[in-house]
C-alpha cells in the first residue's frame, strides 16, 4: 500500500506514534488510509452542509474496511465574490486548490482519495489534482440547491441579480426585490440552475469520475447522503482493483463529457476547466473540438438561466444518465469508457430512461440542432472566444453594432446603470482576462443588469474576461489573446463596428488590417491592476483562456 511509506516497519514507529496521538488504533493504522478532501466552509451555500456528506463518506469507507483521514481545502463563493475585487481571486483559487491537495497527498501518501466539492472552482481544482496525482479517486459532490418560489413562480439566484436591473429600470419595486432576496436561495446546495457548479458536477459524472446521480441529486435529499456512503464503499473497490483517474479520464471520456455539456447547455466556464483538467492527464484538447462535438450533439435541455427548469427537474427527469443514453443514439458517447462504478458507461446507463420529455427533449425535437456552447473566431478573437448559444435570443445570433469600450467591469456597469447603453450597442469590457484582471472575473453583474433592464435582446457584451453560468444573452467571453497581451480586443476604439455571427462561428472587428497594424504599433498595455500578493505571481504564470488559463509548466 502507498500509505506503508509512512506507517510500516521499525523506522516508522515515530510516525505511528503521531497517528496514535490523534486516537488512531493499530487496527485503523494497518488498514488502507483514504484521504477525504472536505471543502466545507461557512461562506459557500453549496458547502455549508459538506460536513454531513463527509461523515457519510467516512462511514462508507469504514464499512468497506478502510480508515478515512479527513483534510480541508479552501473555496470561494463566486456569487458572494461577484462584482468586486474578490472575483479576481476565484479562478486563481483553482490552482491553489489543486496544488494544496497535491501537497497533502504527497506529504502524507494516502492509498486513495475521496474528493468532496460542490461549487465553481473547487470542482475543477479537485479534478486537476486527481489527474495529477493519479491515485485511486472518486468524487461525490454536495448536490444542487432546490429552486425557490415566490407568488407561485420558480425563482433562483439569477432572479435576484436580474432584479437589480429591473429596479433600476422601474420594472420592479425594492419591496419585491427584498422578497426575492429572501426566498430565491431556500437552502444548502450549489445554486439551482445550470450554472458553473452544477455544470461541472454533471461533467464529473459524464467523465466517469463521479457515480450516477453525482450531478443532479438535490443536496437536501436523503439519496444524496446514501450516494456519499456508496462513494465511500466504492473507493475501496477502486483501490483493490487499482483503477486510477487516468484510466477513466481518457480522451474518449473527455469527449463524452463535452457531448453531455452540449446536450445540457452547460456554463461557458466548462470551456476553461475541461481543457485544464485534460492537461493534467497529459491530453491536449483544442477548442475546435467543442464545435466539432456541438455539430453532432443537439441541445436537449434548457435549464435556468436559459429556461425555466432547474437541477431538481433534471434529476426527476432521469438525470445525466438519461441524457447520455439519449444522445448515445447519435454515436457521440463511447459506451466502453470506464467509470468509478468499475463498469463501463454503457452498463451504467442500462436502467436509465427519460421520465419527462419537457425537461430532456427527444432527439427529434431538440431546442437546437447544435449544442449549447459555440467557439467563435475572427480578427477580434484569433485564438477563440466562447458563447452559451443556447441562452442567446434568436434575433441576436447574428448581430452588427457599435462598440462601447470599457477598460473595467465597474466602468461598464456604471454606464449601463446610467442608461448610456442603447439598443444595438456592443459593450466591450477588456483588461479582465487571466493576466489583465488579473484573475479573469466573471461578468454576471453587467449581464444581469442588461437582462433586468430589458436590453438582453438588443445589446451584446464582449470580454476577455468570463461569464457566470448564470449569464444569458449574447455574452461572448474568453476573447483571446486578451488585452493585457496585446490582443486585438485591446485595439478596439469607441464607435468601431463589430459583427457577430454565432451560426457561422465568427466574430469580426470591422477595421482594415492596415489600420489595426497602425493601432498595434502605438499600443501600450495598461499597467497591472494589482501590485502585490498572490495575484501578481498568478499573472506572471497564467496562460491564455484559450488553453484553459493553466499555469506555465
Amino acid at each position: 500500500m502507498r500509505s506503508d511509506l509512512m506507517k510500516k516497519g521499525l523506522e516508522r514507529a515515530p510516525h505511528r506514534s503521531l497517528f496514535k496521538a490523534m486516537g488512531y488504533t493499530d487496527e485503523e493504522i494497518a488498514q488502507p488510509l483514504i484521504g477525504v478532501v472536505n471543502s466545507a466552509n461557512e461562506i459557500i451555500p453549496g458547502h455549508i452542509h459538506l460536513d454531513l456528506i463527509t461523515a457519510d463518506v467516512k462511514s462508507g469507507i469504514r464499512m468497506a474496511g478502510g480508515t478515512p483521514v479527513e483534510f480541508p481545502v479552501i473555496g470561494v463563493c463566486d456569487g458572494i465574490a461577484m462584482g468586486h475585487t474578490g472575483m479576481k481571486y476565484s479562478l486563481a483559487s483553482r490552482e491553489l486548490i489543486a496544488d494544496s491537495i497535491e501537497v497533502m497527498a504527497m506529504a502524507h501518501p494516502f492509498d486513495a482519495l475521496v474528493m468532496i466539492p460542490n461549487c465553481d472552482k473547487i470542482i475543477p481544482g479537485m479534478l486537476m489534482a486527481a489527474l495529477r496525482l493519479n491515485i485511486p479517486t472518486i468524487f461525490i459532490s454536495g448536490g444542487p440547491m432546490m429552486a425557490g418560489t415566490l407568488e407561485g413562480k420558480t425563482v433562483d439566484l439569477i432572479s435576484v441579480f436580474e432584479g437589480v436591473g429591473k429596479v433600476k429600470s422601474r420594472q420592479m419595486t425594492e419591496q419585491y426585490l427584498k422578497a426575492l432576496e429572501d426566498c430565491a436561495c431556500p437552502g444548502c446546495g450549489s445554486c439551482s440552475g445550470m450554472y458553473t457548479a452544477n455544470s461541472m458536477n454533471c461533467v464529473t459524472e459524464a467523465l466517469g469520475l463521479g457515480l450516477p446521480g453525482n450531478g443532479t441529486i438535490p443536496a437536501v435529499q436523503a439519496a444524496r447522503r446514501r450516494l456519499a456512503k456508496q462513494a465511500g464503499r466504492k473507493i475501496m473497490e477502486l483501490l483493490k482493483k487499482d483503477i486510477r483517474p487516468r484510466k477513466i479520464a481518457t480522451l474518449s471520456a473527455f469527449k463524452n463529457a463535452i457531448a453531455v455539456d452540449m446536450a445540457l447547455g452547460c456554463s461557458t466556464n466548462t470551456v476553461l476547466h475541461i481543457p485544464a483538467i485534460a492537461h493534467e492527464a497529459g491530453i491536449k484538447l483544442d477548442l475546435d473540438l467543442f464545435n466539432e462535438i456541438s455539430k453532432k450533439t443537439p441541445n436537449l435541455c434548457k435549464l435556468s438561466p436559459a429556461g425555466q427548469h432547474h437541477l431538481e427537474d433534471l434529476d426527476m427527469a432521469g438525470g445525466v444518465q438519461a441524457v447520455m443514453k439519449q444522445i448515445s443514439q447519435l454515436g457521440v458517447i463511447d459506451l466502453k469508457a470506464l467509470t468509478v462504478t468499475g463498469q463501463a458507461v454503457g452498463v451504467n446507463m442500462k436502467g436509465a430512461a427519460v421520465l419527462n420529455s419537457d425537461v430532456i427533449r427527444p432527439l427529434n425535437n431538440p431546442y437546437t440542432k447544435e449544442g449549447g456552447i459555440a467557439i467563435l473566431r475572427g480578427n477580434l478573437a484569433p485564438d477563440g472566444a466562447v458563447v452559451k448559444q443556447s441562452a442567446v435570443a434568436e434575433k441576436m445570433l447574428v448581430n452588427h453594432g457599435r462598440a462601447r469600450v470599457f477598460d473595467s467591469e465597474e466602468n461598464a456597469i456604471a454606464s449601463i446603470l446610467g442608461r448610456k447603453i442603447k439598443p444595438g450597442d456592443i459593450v466591450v469590457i477588456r483588461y479582465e482576462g487571466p493576466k489583465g484582471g488579473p484573475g479573469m472575473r466573471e461578468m454576471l453583474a453587467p449581464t444581469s443588469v442588461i437582462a433586468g433592464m430589458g436590453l438582453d435582446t438588443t445589446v451584446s457584451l464582449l470580454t476577455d474576461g468570463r461569464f457566470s453560468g448564470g449569464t444569458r444573452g449574447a455574452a461572448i467571453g474568453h476573447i483571446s489573446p486578451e488585452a493585457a497581451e496585446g490582443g486585438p480586443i485591446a485595439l478596439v476604439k469607441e464607435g468601431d463596428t463589430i459583427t457577430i455571427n454565432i451560426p457561422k462561428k465568427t466574430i469580426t472587428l470591422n477595421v482594415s488590417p492596415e489600420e489595426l497594424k497602425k493601432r498595434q504599433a502605438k499600443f501600450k498595455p495598461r499597467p497591472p491592476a494589482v501590485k502585490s500578493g498572490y495575484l501578481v505571481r498568478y499573472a506572471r504564470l497564467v496562460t491564455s483562456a484559450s488553453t484553459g488559463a493553466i499555469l506555465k509548466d
Side-chain angles (χ1 to χ4, degrees):
M1 291 189 293
R2 190 170 178 266
S3 62
D4 286 348
L5 290 169
M6 61 178 169
K7 69 182 188 183
K8 192 173 183 180
L10 179 67
E11 295 82 2
R12 296 296 179 258
H15 303 63
R16 293 190 294 274
S17 180
L18 291 168
F19 273 100
K20 289 175 180 179
M22 297 179 280
Y24 291 94
T25 65
D26 285 326
E27 291 78 12
E28 288 175 304
I29 296 169
Q31 292 178 155
L33 300 184
I34 312 300
V36 178
V37 191
N38 182 6
S39 57
N41 61 43
E42 296 182 351
I43 194 65
I44 310 177
H47 292 234
I48 192 71
H49 66 304
L50 290 190
D51 280 341
L52 285 175
I53 301 296
T54 300
D56 291 327
V57 166
K58 290 157 77 172
S59 293
I61 291 169
R62 291 189 182 103
M63 281 190 277
T67 299
V69 182
E70 179 186 340
F71 64 89
V73 76
I74 64 166
V76 170
C77 178
D78 279 26
I80 294 173
M82 196 74 65
H84 57 87
T85 301
M87 182 47 71
K88 293 178 183 288
Y89 289 85
S90 173
L91 181 60
S93 74
R94 185 187 73 178
E95 317 307 317
L96 286 176
I97 290 163
D99 289 351
S100 65
I101 294 170
E102 176 193 354
V103 167
M104 289 296 289
M106 294 303 293
H108 317 100
F110 300 109
D111 297 302
L113 296 171
V114 180
M115 303 285 193
I116 308 175
N118 211 28
C119 290
D120 293 29
K121 306 310 167 299
I122 299 90
I123 307 159
M126 287 188 174
L127 285 164
M128 290 165 69
L131 287 163
R132 186 185 302 175
L133 291 163
N134 200 34
I135 61 176
T137 303
I138 194 169
F139 280 71
I140 170 64
S141 76
M145 183 186 293
M146 302 294 283
T149 56
L150 180 61
E151 296 182 358
K153 294 180 180 179
T154 303
V155 294
D156 56 31
L157 178 65
I158 302 310
S159 307
V160 187
F161 269 102
E162 293 185 359
V164 174
K166 289 180 179 180
V167 170
K168 292 286 185 180
S169 60
R170 298 186 179 89
Q171 298 177 59
M172 182 184 288
T173 65
E174 288 190 41
Q175 290 77 13
Y176 193 86
L177 180 60
K178 175 62 166 61
L180 261 181
E181 175 188 325
D182 289 344
C183 68
C185 300
C188 65
S190 48
C191 295
S192 58
M194 190 53 79
Y195 316 138
T196 304
N198 291 322
S199 295
M200 288 306 302
N201 282 326
C202 289
V203 162
T204 301
E205 181 178 338
L207 189 59
L209 290 170
L211 293 169
N214 178 74
T216 60
I217 297 173
V220 294
Q221 289 188 1
R224 172 61 59 179
R225 298 191 64 179
R226 293 197 298 270
L227 192 71
K229 291 176 183 177
Q230 185 183 349
R233 294 195 303 269
K234 188 61 68 172
I235 191 59
M236 299 303 295
E237 181 182 321
L238 295 176
L239 174 60
K240 184 177 180 180
K241 294 180 178 178
D242 195 30
I243 297 176
R244 303 181 182 219
R246 292 191 191 181
K247 192 172 182 180
I248 294 169
T250 61
L251 179 58
S252 290
F254 278 104
K255 289 180 178 179
N256 285 352
I258 294 171
V260 170
D261 185 341
M262 295 302 168
L264 289 174
C266 290
S267 165
T268 53
N269 282 311
T270 59
V271 181
L272 266 183
H273 300 318
I274 291 174
I277 296 160
H279 174 76
E280 296 288 354
I283 298 170
K284 184 177 180 181
L285 292 185
D286 190 270
L287 287 186
D288 291 331
L289 182 62
F290 286 83
N291 278 346
E292 289 173 22
I293 294 174
S294 178
K295 286 177 183 177
K296 304 173 188 175
T297 313
N299 177 217
L300 303 181
C301 304
K302 272 195 183 292
L303 281 71
S304 179
Q308 297 304 308
H309 298 135
H310 291 81
L311 263 290
E312 63 206 74
D313 302 309
L314 178 60
D315 187 61
M316 289 188 289
V320 171
Q321 297 302 308
V323 172
M324 292 183 81
K325 190 170 186 178
Q326 190 98 298
I327 62 176
S328 68
Q329 299 172 53
L330 301 172
V332 296
I333 297 294
D334 181 354
L335 300 177
K336 296 181 180 178
L338 183 64
T339 74
V340 289
T341 65
Q343 303 289 337
V345 167
V347 176
N348 291 346
M349 67 169 63
K350 272 186 178 177
V354 175
L355 304 176
N356 186 333
S357 58
D358 290 331
V359 178
I360 304 172
R361 284 195 171 185
L363 296 176
N364 61 4
N365 184 33
Y367 285 102
T368 57
K369 291 182 180 179
E370 291 191 3
I373 290 174
I375 306 299
L376 312 184
R377 293 186 189 270
N379 69 342
L380 186 54
D383 292 344
V386 62
V387 62
K388 188 172 185 175
Q389 61 182 350
S390 60
V392 179
E394 187 174 355
K395 65 185 263 187
M396 293 295 285
L397 292 172
V398 178
N399 187 24
H400 178 86
R402 177 178 67 126
R404 306 297 308 280
V405 183
F406 304 94
D407 285 349
S408 72
E409 178 187 7
E410 288 82 359
N411 291 342
I413 292 173
S415 190
I416 296 164
L417 291 176
R419 299 176 177 272
K420 295 178 182 177
I421 302 301
K422 306 300 180 185
D425 285 349
I426 295 180
V427 176
V428 177
I429 304 178
R430 60 194 181 191
Y431 292 103
E432 293 287 5
K435 285 183 180 296
M440 202 179 185
R441 287 193 286 184
E442 286 185 347
M443 304 286 173
L444 181 57
T447 57
S448 295
V449 171
I450 284 172
M453 295 178 75
L455 295 171
D456 57 307
T457 58
T458 59
V459 171
S460 297
L461 197 154
L462 314 181
T463 182
D464 54 5
R466 61 196 177 94
F467 295 110
S468 163
T471 289
R472 62 184 172 97
I476 299 166
H478 306 198
I479 290 179
S480 303
E482 61 175 291
E485 292 188 317
I489 191 172
L491 309 179
V492 181
K493 290 185 176 181
E494 184 84 8
D496 285 346
T497 62
I498 295 171
T499 301
I500 301 162
N501 192 319
I502 294 173
K504 290 187 177 179
K505 311 293 188 289
T506 59
I507 180 168
T508 306
L509 175 62
N510 298 304
V511 173
S512 70
E514 293 76 21
E515 173 61 20
L516 284 177
K517 284 183 181 178
K518 289 179 183 178
R519 294 184 187 182
Q520 187 75 60
K522 296 177 181 178
F523 170 73
K524 291 182 180 179
R526 194 184 69 166
V530 177
K531 308 293 184 184
S532 62
Y534 171 59
L535 287 179
V536 172
R537 299 195 299 276
Y538 178 80
R540 288 174 185 157
L541 293 173
V542 72
T543 61
S544 170
S546 65
T547 57
I550 59 174
L551 300 186
K552 295 174 186 174
D553 290 331

